[in-house]
Amino acid sequence: MCLSRAPVFPQEVADQLLLKMVKKKILNDTTIRIFQNCKELRLRRASIRCCQVSAQAFRLALCPHRLQELDASGVLGGLTVANIVSGLASNPACRSSLRRLSLAGLRVDWESLEEDGGPCVGFSSLQGLRTLNLANTDLTDAVLEDICTLPRLESLDISCSAVSKLTALLDCKNTLRSLTTHRLQQLDMSPGRMLFVLGQLHAVRHFDFSEDHLAVNAGDGRDGMETVRQLLDGSPQVLPSLVSLDISGRRRIPEAAVRVFVEARGALVFLGLLATGASSCDILSSKRNLKVTGEANENQVCEALRRYRDRECFIREALVHLYNLTADIDKPRPDMLELVLSGMQSHPTSLQVHLVATACVFNLTTQDLAVTMPVGLISSAVAQLLYAMKTYPNHQQVQKNCMMALCSDYILQDVPFDKYLAATLVINWLRSHEDAPLQRMAVAVISILVAKLSTEETAQLGKDVFIMKQMLAIVQQKAMTGLVDSTLKFALSALWNLTDEMPTAARNFIECQGLELYEEVLESYYAEPSVQQKVLGLLNNIAEVEVLQADLMEEDLLGHVLSLLQDSRVEQGVRYFAGGTLAQLVSRPEAWTLGSQLRSTIVEQLHASIMTWTQLEREMVSYRSFRPFCPLLQAWQPSGVQLWAAWAIHLVCIQNASHYSNMMEKDGVAELLRALAAHPDTHSDVKGLSDGILRIVEQHQSL
């Protein structure tokens, strides 16, 4: 891929373009080739972090640029340290211009260059290099010796590498200011020898000698512990310029040694003490300008989450302490939530990180805490929860943490996120789990999410027979006890929304014996309008599907629905959906298979009952479209059928004129109402209601 024609981009814009491609995960061997246009797209600070880029593509696209910085950490596609260094060294400009280079997580593989007969180059060819990150590589002592000949080297990270000796550092003792040596498992130096080398590093201001305290094969670390003890107790002449020391993970550090060290180093600005047992030392709280990572208080824990983003062992440790700190939190802490999400994003494959992090997310967003936080932050939090659910589908505690965090009215109703993905993940969890408390939460989440899906997403979900069976099983279980609780209501709502203008879902409902169950529920919960309304709402959905109307042609069922319509003691919402079901069924005379007397009675009672209804203040129903109403508004329909449709449209238009006025025009309902209002045979009650609706539309359009 290349640009056939391009202006000369401002240099910073070219850098930002590359970075955006990385973040959007679209940088690869094909797309990176646009940067071969090195006159138009001039790169200076390049990042290909964690992208799929081959050695050939790297050499062609990036090496011709006069780079100042390059981050190729975690690159996939077989690109090695040797490939990168030799490629950069092939450009004379890069040899002097490159200042920062990050190659963490790559294989060094100098041997491959020798086998290919390529020129033997090393880090020493990049004479301008000041900052080098080779953490988590197979860096050897020999390569370290080459690195330490760099004349301007100021910062070096060799964490988790195969280095066994640090003597080579003496070659850059006059320039080296920052040295990071986290978890050097193969380090083979006595404490005395280590202190001798450190004693020569007069310019070093930051020294990281931390350890992974969770590593199974970390050994007892006696030499490392002794080195730390001697460093803390020793003379300030060892590392005399030191202002930042990290010894996190070095267990059993005595507080007395920390006190001596801090008192002797007045210029100290950072001390890493997480998982050392020494972060509660009293002197630490008296130093205002000293930042500390540890577990003694909130500031130390948050500092650990900030500084150790890329170190799983410390992120896990800090999250555990943050969870305990936030168990009873009563104030919004978006800063803490950002740190938790950062840790999750940095360790996408760590179960332990996600186990504790999802619990922290729940603590930080529960109750009303999420309401006052930035919506974008909560949206990002939900995205991470969904990622955890998808990545660890069989881990019950992770699923529980995520479900508890998601089960929030504010999050489900007002926060933007992938609701279809959320619904499918929760449904998939239901397939293999029967935990009652979690089942309640899952049903509640599904019920709310289904109402938020697009028509296409709802249709896709409605094809899944499992969810229909699962929801019906919950309804049946609750119906057997005769209790009314939130789980029953949520299950009924979910089924109602799943079948709304969804013929396939409605068919699945019938085939799963849903009608038989709903007939029982309708009778047994006669005094529960909240249950009846949801049951009748679903029957209304089925009645809208012409090919399924025959399944509702049962005299006992329709007789019961008619009695609900007629009974003035029944809540109006129940009577409304009873009327809708009956109006749909009697609107097609050719499909009516029961007695003509029953149909005549229904038509007559529809009109009479509706005329007794009062206008509702609260929102009772919402509609995806008005298409199901179109057959009911034909001029030849009985007045009762027309009246129910007009009353329903009038109800929602009053409550949300802007939304439904547009829908009326789009679905052709406004035209049908105009025709009814003008037709000489239209009943005056229907005409009056039609005129009222049209006035609402006209008023909205005139605004």
Side-chain angles (χ1 to χ4, degrees), residues 159-161 181-185 210-212 215-218 250:
S159 302
C160 303
S161 68
T181 60
H182 170 71
R183 199 188 176 200
L184 290 184
Q185 286 183 283
S210 57
E211 180 57 273
D212 182 352
V216 176
N217 57 346
R250 300 284 181 181

Side-chain angles (χ1 to χ4, degrees), residues 431-679:
R431 292 180 194 274
S432 52
H433 296 81
E434 296 180 358
D435 180 89
L438 275 184
Q439 188 185 70
R440 283 196 295 273
M441 283 189 282
V443 172
V445 171
I446 291 170
S447 173
I448 295 172
L449 289 178
V450 168
K452 299 288 183 180
L453 300 181
S454 68
T455 303
E456 295 75 15
E457 290 169 337
T458 307
Q460 191 64 33
L461 212 56
K463 293 177 183 177
D464 189 346
V465 177
F466 167 79
I467 184 175
M468 199 64 67
K469 289 181 177 178
Q470 188 69 30
M471 294 297 119
L472 285 171
I474 292 169
V475 172
Q476 186 170 35
Q477 181 185 34
K478 296 296 178 182
M480 288 173 66
T481 65
L483 296 175
V484 178
D485 62 9
S486 60
T487 304
L488 173 63
K489 292 180 181 178
F490 279 127
L492 291 171
S493 293
L495 289 165
W496 183 8
N497 285 317
L498 275 172
T499 54
D500 184 16
E501 291 192 48
M502 298 296 154
T504 302
R507 167 59 69 189
N508 288 341
F509 175 86
I510 292 170
E511 291 178 351
C512 292
Q513 283 74 54
L515 272 180
E516 292 85 341
L517 174 61
Y518 267 44
E519 285 184 55
E520 295 175 15
V521 171
L522 203 56
E523 293 179 9
S524 55
Y525 286 91
Y526 190 88
E528 294 292 343
S530 61
V531 173
Q532 287 185 315
Q533 189 168 310
K534 292 173 173 59
V535 170
L536 289 165
L538 186 142
L539 296 182
N540 210 143
N541 291 344
I542 294 175
E544 289 173 1
V545 184
E546 291 185 359
V547 296
L548 300 180
Q549 288 179 346
D551 292 279
L552 294 174
M553 292 294 175
E554 294 183 23
E555 196 159 331
D556 290 343
L557 172 63
L558 297 192
H560 186 71
V561 175
L562 178 59
S563 69
L564 293 173
L565 171 70
Q566 294 172 301
D567 193 342
S568 59
R569 295 167 300 176
V570 172
E571 189 177 278
Q572 189 167 309
V574 176
R575 300 176 73 192
Y576 171 83
F577 287 107
T581 302
L582 296 171
Q584 289 287 353
L585 293 176
V586 298
S587 68
R588 295 179 65 231
E590 70 278 10
W592 185 264
T593 59
L594 301 177
S596 58
Q597 182 58 48
L598 177 60
R599 183 176 181 276
S600 299
T601 302
I602 290 172
V603 169
E604 180 184 321
Q605 288 302 313
L606 268 172
H607 196 128
S609 298
I610 292 168
M611 292 308 297
T612 66
W613 295 354
T614 56
Q615 190 63 52
L616 297 174
E617 295 296 326
R618 61 182 177 83
E619 186 176 351
M620 184 179 66
V621 65
S622 61
Y623 290 105
R624 293 181 191 274
S625 77
F626 284 140
R627 286 187 294 274
F629 291 84
C630 293
L632 310 184
L633 294 171
Q634 301 300 320
W636 50 266
Q637 289 285 7
S639 65
V641 171
Q642 296 171 337
L643 192 62
W644 182 87
W647 201 93
I649 294 168
H650 188 263
L651 170 68
V652 294
C653 280
I654 285 178
Q655 293 166 348
N656 192 345
S658 60
H659 176 68
Y660 288 108
S661 292
N662 295 331
M663 187 186 290
M664 283 177 58
E665 295 292 350
K666 177 184 172 185
D667 293 338
V669 167
E671 191 58 40
L672 288 172
L673 289 172
R674 291 186 189 100
L676 272 182
H679 199 283

